[in-house]
Amino acid sequence: TTPPVLIKVAATDRSASVANAATTTVADHVIEATSTYARTKQRELKQEVAHMDESIADLEQQQSTAMRAAAGARGADQTSWTVLLGIISRDLADARRQQSETRAQMSLTNELEMPRVLERAHAVKNATAARGPRVTVSALLGLILGCALALVVRRPRTDADA
C-alpha cells in the first residue's frame, strides 16, 4: 500500500486559491506516479475476469450439451454422459469461485492499494505567524508589570535578614 503523504504549500492571503490549485495539481501528479503497481494489477485482474467469463460461458455450453446428450442416452452411454456432466459441473463451480475471488481482489486493490486524495487542498491561516507580535508584546508587558509589582511589594529589610 502507498503510505499517506501530506503536501503543504505556503502562500500569502491573496494567493490562497492559487496555492490550493497548485497543491491539488501536485497531489494528482504524486498519485499518478505512485499508482503504477495498483493500475497494472487492476488491469491484469480485469483481463483475468474477462478470460474467466469466456471459460464460464464455454463450460455452461458444454454442460447444456452434456445434459441433452445424457437425457437421450441409454445404459452405459447415459452413465458416461452423467460422469462427464459431473466433471463439467465441478469445473464450472471452480471457475465461478475463482472468478468471485478475482473480483474480490479487484475490489481490494481498488480500495486499499490504489492511491487517492483523502482530502482536497484548502487554505488554512497560519495562526502562529499572526499571533507572534501579540505574544511578544504580552510577554514584555507581563515582565514590566511583574518588576513593578516586585518593587512595590518589596518587603522592608529587618535586622534579622542581614
Side-chain angles (χ1 to χ4, degrees):
T1 61
T2 305
V5 176
L6 177 63
I7 300 171
K8 289 185 177 185
V9 175
T12 62
D13 288 342
R14 285 178 268 220
S15 63
S17 62
V18 174
N20 286 346
T23 305
T24 300
T25 302
V26 169
D28 290 341
H29 285 297
V30 168
I31 286 173
E32 184 67 28
T34 59
S35 65
T36 306
Y37 168 76
R39 282 185 286 125
T40 302
K41 184 175 179 180
Q42 193 80 333
R43 183 177 55 248
E44 289 174 358
L45 289 172
K46 283 180 183 177
Q47 290 173 351
E48 191 173 332
V49 166
H51 177 70
M52 286 181 203
D53 286 341
E54 293 173 4
S55 295
I56 288 172
D58 288 345
L59 287 169
E60 287 173 342
Q61 179 66 35
Q62 290 175 11
Q63 186 181 38
S64 176
T65 302
M67 288 174 76
R68 282 192 304 272
R74 298 282 181 248
D77 278 348
Q78 186 177 24
T79 303
S80 297
W81 281 110
T82 304
V83 169
L84 181 61
L85 186 59
I87 292 170
I88 293 171
S89 296
R90 184 199 63 212
D91 290 348
L92 184 58
D94 287 346
R96 286 182 176 151
R97 180 191 46 76
Q98 188 176 4
Q99 183 186 42
S100 177
E101 289 173 1
T102 303
R103 288 183 193 271
Q105 283 181 342
M106 282 177 56
S107 179
L108 285 173
T109 298
N110 194 39
E111 290 299 317
L112 299 178
E113 296 179 12
M114 190 69 75
R116 64 180 160 273
V117 174
L118 299 177
E119 184 179 343
R120 284 287 170 191
H122 60 282
V124 176
K125 187 169 184 160
N126 188 348
T128 56
R131 203 175 359 145
R134 280 187 278 163
V135 171
T136 305
V137 170
S138 298
L140 186 58
L141 284 174
L143 179 65
I144 292 170
L145 287 174
C147 288
L149 186 61
L151 290 174
V152 171
V153 178
R154 187 173 188 203
R155 64 181 189 165
R157 295 185 95 182
T158 63
D159 290 334
D161 290 339

